[in-house]
Amino acid sequence: MKYAALFFLFIASFAQAQQKVAVVLSGGAAKGLAHIGVLKALEENEIPIDYIIGTSMGGIVGGCYAGGMSPAQIEDIVLSKEFLDWVNGRFENGRSYYYFKKENDASFLKLNLSLDSTFSFQLNTSIANDLSLNFALAEKLAQPSAIAKDNFDSLFVPLRVMASDIFTQTEIVLRKGVLSDALRTTQTAPFFYNPIRIDGKYLFDGGVYNNFPVDVAQRDFNPTVIIGSNVSSKVYNSYPYGEDEKLISRSLLYMLLDKSNPNDVPPNGVYIQSDLQNFSAFDFTKVKAIIDSGYFQTLRQIPEIKSKISARRTCEEVATSRNRFNSKTPALIVGDIRFEGYDKSQKKYLNRFFKNGKRPLYYNEVKTGYYKLVSEPFFNNVYPSFNFDSTRNNFNFNLTKRMQNNFQVDFGGVIATRNVSSIFLGLNYYSFSRVLTHLSANFFAGNFYKSFLFKSRFDLPYFGQFYIEPEVIINSWSFLQADDIIQQKFNPTVLDRVDRRYGLNIGFPFRNQFKVVATGAFIDNSDSFIDRDVLVSSDTLDVLRVRGSRLGISVSSNSLNRKQYASQGKAFNLSANWFSVEENLAPGNTSVLTAPVTTQRTWLQAKLSLEQYFKAGAYSSGYLVEGVLSNQPTFTNYFGSIIYAPSFNPLQDSRTLLLTNFRAFNYIAGGWRNVFSLRKSLDLRLDGYAFKPLAAINEGPNQKAILNEEITKVYFAATAGLVMHTSLGPVSLNVNYYDDKKRQIGILLHVGFLLFNKGAMD
């Protein structure tokens, strides 16, 4: 009897040892993060995990686990601010390379095209920026992939990852290769992310053909028990009236999420369906709650799980095994960088971002070079990966060229309740060989403002790095057309301006966040105005022609989170300029002068501008400080002096108004901005500003300009408004106050970006 008992105990122990458990994780975008909670609960309750099979987000969570990360480590990653940056297409804080940052314009829609030598266009249909996500996956999974020698059976837990070949309409099971490539591929929803090549094929999200790959677990691993965690369910139980227009752009992704069948799990297995009815596939800001849903649902099913799985693996055993696997991790040192799809001269240019060919490189040097490179929109097509070279015991960093977007069309503009509405069109073309050439042109068209800008930027990989940029800017402003269509009580400003700037800029990077630009330009401006407040039909206008040259240098930085109505980040600009111009005034009948006057004017000007925000929860506050010092002389008459004086423009419509009290040759100014986030995209803004001219420009006898150095005079401006941030730019309703006798209170509603090109004197 004793021997029989020992025999049955041996048989039971052997059966337990032979029991193998496969965990299948479905796709589901943000809802797939519930799988982290499932894995966490299984480990805590000593349920063994022998195999992992995953699709889409399930593939990413499963791949991280198979790569030696604990559920707690995966949870820490997805709860971090960096994770939100990755999924939202933002660069990690401090990684953006300001040298490549475009100047703000009024665009809100970008159309990326590929233009080939036959002038055929091809549209890039992806809508998400994957640059940060790609590097994060490559970084986090390079070492586990190296340990396993790119064999998914040799990971901490054997792994299968699902992908789809949409051309042959078949599922693809990924069993080997670079781990980060597999995880990036399995969440490539068509039209959302650009695909990457695996073994020469463009592959897409595994959920297209197999969102819940229980059959793959059975076929590849033949486990004793399958635990299937499914987060895919009906997106909506009834038609989402009132929301359908907002949701239609995501319709393809929704189609990929509802392909899981609970009956796929065999009767001896366990089916886990987390309660995620209150979450959408895009709720990446609710990660903790989603993880908890998976965790608590699994805890509720632990009795069932333990009844079907007799084997146990203690937390200590799992930790020991995981540590043993991770102890084999090689240092992430890069011995070579390989540029795939680029010719010799292009590789020479690209090497400038990576210590100009210096090898080996430490991980942070590679990361810095990568983010510098992809800060230029032309290189948004590169795909990064790390491959381990066992012969040298270090890594190769591969940058692979994907479909090139070398032509971009921008659309934008603004609609406003004042007559300052305009439409915007931008065109950008890139050419890349020994240097990177970027040709750009933009156009504004409206009653108040018209503009044409053309630039040709040549980025040269010499002397570190610098660019040469010829430019032409022509602006036309009709302040008479900027009248308020709601309130008619103000006298319109009679001023038509045309300013032209033909220049050359030379720019250098200064660290990551700053840029130094030297500028030389020829100026040709023409201004038509009257010398009194009221225009009559018989009046002829003064015509002021200002022609000459300017030389300058500036240091700037900008990390603000929005082009207009920012609430985070900071901006800095310090400039010094020398002007030498000829003033030619042809007086009209409102002038006291009767003959033209020509005078040579020369002056130096220095300007400093600082803007910064401090965010605390739903409240963000910030300051704007600005100052100008110069020895600029007055012009022939008062109005000419005013329009050529530097101006303080703190509010959204300041540049559309000629506010005489906020112009001076020398001034200090500043203010405080308060932003209250009422909803995700709706802000309440309350701003107040003070302007102190060090020498106010007043009108003296005979229409002359005189400088008043009264130290007590300060002028104020303020605004209160609601701003909704939309895909068409801001929708803003503001009440504005200016300490100006001609325009004190104004109400402005605008949709879109109220932005302009730089003027000739800016």
Side-chain angles (χ1 to χ4, degrees):
M1 191 69 177
K2 177 180 178 182
Y3 292 108
L6 289 173
F7 175 76
F8 283 114
L9 181 63
F10 171 77
I11 293 298
S13 299
F14 180 78
Q16 178 173 319
Q18 292 300 307
Q19 196 173 38
K20 296 295 183 181
V21 179
V23 176
V24 179
L25 307 176
S26 78
K31 295 195 289 186
L33 298 173
H35 297 316
I36 301 171
V38 174
L39 297 174
K40 181 180 177 182
L42 293 176
E43 273 203 5
E44 289 179 355
N45 287 275
E46 302 183 350
I47 305 300
I49 300 173
D50 299 295
Y51 312 107
I52 291 273
I53 305 91
T55 294
S56 196
M57 185 59 79
I60 291 180
V61 172
C64 290
Y65 185 87
M69 297 184 197
S70 70
Q73 288 174 313
I74 303 172
E75 184 174 12
D76 286 343
I77 290 173
V78 300
L79 287 174
S80 67
K81 178 186 178 299
E82 288 75 19
F83 178 75
L84 278 178
D85 290 338
W86 303 338
V87 297
N88 288 316
R90 297 189 297 259
F91 284 10
E92 293 180 17
N93 188 36
R95 289 293 179 182
S96 182
Y97 191 38
Y98 182 65
Y99 173 76
F100 281 130
K101 185 178 177 68
K102 284 179 59 179
E103 291 184 6
N104 291 334
D105 57 39
S107 64
F108 53 71
L109 175 65
K110 298 182 186 299
L111 191 64
N112 291 312
L113 302 166
S114 177
L115 177 63
D116 62 24
S117 58
T118 64
F119 296 98
S120 297
F121 287 98
Q122 185 173 352
L123 174 65
N124 177 10
T125 55
S126 67
I127 61 175
N129 184 323
D130 61 357
L131 297 171
S132 293
L133 175 65
N134 293 343
F135 191 87
L137 288 172
E139 165 201 348
K140 301 293 183 187
L141 299 166
Q143 292 160 311
S145 195
I147 296 171
K149 299 180 181 179
D150 295 337
N151 182 350
F152 295 175
D153 285 335
S154 299
L155 292 165
F156 169 62
V157 174
L159 172 73
R160 294 293 182 266
V161 178
M162 302 305 299
S164 300
D165 179 351
I166 65 171
F167 296 107
T168 62
Q169 297 182 338
T170 55
E171 67 177 49
I172 303 292
V173 182
L174 300 177
R175 302 178 175 90
K176 63 180 180 178
V178 178
L179 182 56
S180 62
D181 290 354
L183 302 198
R184 170 61 177 79
T185 296
T186 194
Q187 54 88 58
T188 304
F191 301 106
F192 197 76
Y193 284 121
N194 278 321
I196 65 169
R197 287 187 186 273
I198 300 286
D199 295 332
K201 299 178 180 179
Y202 279 121
L203 300 182
F204 290 85
D205 194 307
V208 174
Y209 299 118
N210 196 342
N211 198 49
F212 194 39
V214 173
D215 58 329
V216 176
Q218 294 169 317
R219 186 170 64 244
D220 271 37
F221 297 122
N222 192 27
T224 312
V225 180
I226 290 177
I227 299 175
S229 174
N230 177 40
V231 297
S232 179
S233 60
K234 281 190 176 182
V235 181
Y236 291 93
N237 289 319
S238 59
Y239 190 85
Y241 292 105
E243 297 182 76
D244 49 0
E245 289 190 8
K246 181 175 66 175
L247 299 170
I248 195 67
S249 63
R250 302 171 177 175
S251 57
L252 181 63
L253 186 56
Y254 290 142
M255 288 163 52
L256 302 177
L257 300 180
D258 193 19
K259 293 183 179 293
S260 301
N261 185 356
N263 296 325
D264 289 343
V265 178
N268 69 324
V270 180
Y271 178 77
I272 299 174
Q273 177 80 57
S274 301
D275 183 6
L276 299 168
Q277 293 184 20
N278 296 324
F279 304 101
S280 79
F282 301 92
D283 277 336
F284 287 101
T285 58
K286 301 176 182 178
V287 170
K288 181 61 177 172
I290 292 174
I291 293 174
D292 287 346
S293 294
Y295 177 75
F296 289 114
Q297 180 60 38
T298 307
L299 290 182
R300 284 190 284 269
Q301 294 185 238
I302 285 296
E304 177 193 0
I305 295 171
K306 287 186 174 181
S307 71
K308 295 182 177 181
I309 301 173
S310 57
R312 298 289 179 267
R313 194 168 298 149
T314 67
C315 295
E316 291 76 15
E317 289 174 328
V318 174
T320 300
S321 178
R322 183 178 285 121
N323 290 338
R324 187 183 306 118
F325 176 83
N326 289 326
S327 67
K328 304 172 187 177
T329 298
L332 193 52
I333 296 175
V334 173
D336 193 18
I337 296 182
R338 298 176 178 175
F339 305 102
E340 299 180 6
Y342 297 95
D343 62 32
K344 184 177 180 181
S345 61
Q346 292 171 332
K347 290 177 181 179
K348 183 177 180 180
Y349 177 93
L350 296 172
N351 249 326
R352 286 282 175 176
F353 295 91
F354 300 95
K355 295 288 186 176
N356 199 25
K358 172 192 171 185
R359 305 291 184 267
L361 296 175
Y362 292 105
Y363 157 73
N364 194 56
E365 293 174 320
V366 173
K367 187 172 185 177
T368 297
Y370 171 79
Y371 274 104
K372 281 185 175 182
L373 177 65
V374 298
S375 292
E376 165 52 62
F378 177 74
F379 294 113
N380 283 184
N381 67 317
V382 301
Y383 176 77
S385 63
F386 291 93
N387 296 90
F388 187 67
D389 186 339
S390 58
T391 61
R392 297 186 301 179
N393 199 36
N394 60 25
F395 289 84
N396 296 319
F397 181 62
N398 300 322
L399 280 174
T400 304
K401 179 181 178 181
R402 296 183 287 179
M403 186 180 77
Q404 188 67 67
N405 297 319
N406 59 356
F407 194 84
Q408 177 180 300
V409 183
D410 300 333
F411 302 94
V414 64
I415 300 173
T417 53
R418 284 183 50 228
N419 198 14
V420 294
S421 302
S422 65
I423 58 174
F424 172 86
L425 173 67
L427 303 173
N428 295 271
Y429 174 74
Y430 289 89
S431 176
F432 181 39
S433 55
R434 293 181 179 272
V435 301
L436 177 64
T437 302
H438 177 196
L439 306 178
S440 62
N442 69 44
F443 308 85
F444 286 85
N447 289 332
F448 165 68
Y449 178 68
K450 299 177 181 66
S451 181
F452 166 74
L453 177 149
F454 175 78
K455 291 184 178 182
S456 181
R457 172 167 163 163
F458 304 94
D459 277 287
L460 305 166
Y462 309 113
F463 307 107
Q465 192 173 25
F466 74 100
Y467 67 80
I468 299 175
E469 182 183 60
E471 67 175 1
V472 176
I473 304 174
I474 302 174
N475 297 305
S476 174
W477 314 76
S478 180
F479 283 82
L480 182 62
Q481 299 297 324
D483 196 16
D484 197 315
I485 64 175
I486 293 179
Q487 298 170 297
Q488 299 290 337
K489 64 182 181 180
F490 301 112
N491 290 327
T493 301
V494 182
L495 172 63
D496 284 323
R497 305 203 69 186
V498 177
D499 63 81
R500 307 172 187 87
R501 173 168 157 175
Y502 312 95
L504 179 70
N505 304 315
I506 301 175
F508 302 86
F510 178 63
R511 298 183 178 176
N512 262 23
Q513 301 302 316
F514 293 88
K515 178 171 65 175
V516 179
V517 179
T519 300
F522 175 74
I523 300 165
D524 185 1
N525 297 351
S526 178
D527 300 275
S528 301
F529 53 86
I530 61 172
D531 295 294
R532 60 189 179 203
D533 292 338
V534 180
L535 175 70
V536 298
S537 59
S538 60
D539 285 342
T540 58
L541 306 183
D542 289 11
V543 177
L544 175 62
R545 191 76 180 269
V546 174
R547 306 178 69 184
S549 57
R550 60 175 292 178
L551 297 173
I553 188 167
S554 67
V555 182
S556 61
S557 175
N558 189 328
S559 62
L560 298 177
N561 63 329
R562 298 189 183 103
K563 292 191 285 189
Q564 196 170 15
Y565 301 112
S567 60
Q568 295 181 56
K570 56 185 176 181
F572 165 85
N573 186 275
L574 175 63
S575 63
N577 287 278
W578 172 81
F579 295 89
S580 179
V581 301
E582 181 182 85
E583 175 201 3
N584 190 313
L585 177 63
N589 71 337
T590 63
S591 173
V592 297
L593 300 174
T594 58
V597 178
T598 300
T599 312
Q600 189 70 29
R601 311 284 187 188
T602 303
W603 69 92
L604 291 170
Q605 180 192 97
K607 183 176 181 179
L608 172 67
S609 179
L610 291 170
E611 182 179 357
Q612 185 171 9
Y613 292 88
F614 309 93
K615 187 171 178 59
Y619 172 65
S620 180
S621 63
Y623 64 83
L624 172 65
V625 176
E626 190 171 290
V628 172
L629 292 176
S630 76
N631 62 345
Q632 182 174 345
T634 59
F635 277 42
T636 300
N637 65 9
Y638 165 74
F639 204 81
S641 300
I642 281 291
I643 61 179
Y644 277 92
S647 61
F648 179 52
N649 302 309
L651 306 190
Q652 69 286 110
D653 67 342
S654 294
R655 290 189 70 184
T656 69
L657 303 169
L658 189 74
L659 301 167
T660 58
N661 288 344
F662 291 84
R663 290 174 172 262
F665 300 143
N666 296 273
Y667 67 80
I668 55 174
W672 197 257
R673 295 174 168 175
N674 301 277
V675 185
F676 302 89
S677 181
L678 304 181
R679 294 179 58 187
K680 182 179 179 181
S681 59
L682 180 64
D683 295 340
L684 168 66
R685 299 184 69 99
L686 302 172
D687 303 356
Y689 305 92
F691 175 83
K692 171 57 187 167
L694 302 183
I697 305 172
N698 294 335
E699 185 172 6
N702 297 320
Q703 299 173 348
K704 291 287 188 181
I706 58 174
L707 301 181
N708 183 352
E709 298 182 359
E710 179 186 353
I711 63 173
T712 60
K713 193 59 179 176
V714 178
Y715 299 96
F716 298 96
T719 184
L722 291 172
V723 182
M724 179 175 289
H725 303 281
T726 74
S727 58
L728 298 179
V731 178
S732 176
L733 175 62
N734 296 275
V735 178
N736 297 333
Y737 167 79
Y738 291 104
D739 196 351
D740 188 275
K741 63 182 181 179
K742 290 187 178 181
R743 184 177 292 271
Q744 288 189 328
I745 302 293
I747 299 174
L748 177 67
L749 170 66
H750 74 89
V751 180
F753 294 101
L754 192 55
L755 298 172
F756 309 95
N757 286 329
K758 283 186 175 180
M761 309 299 289
D762 294 337

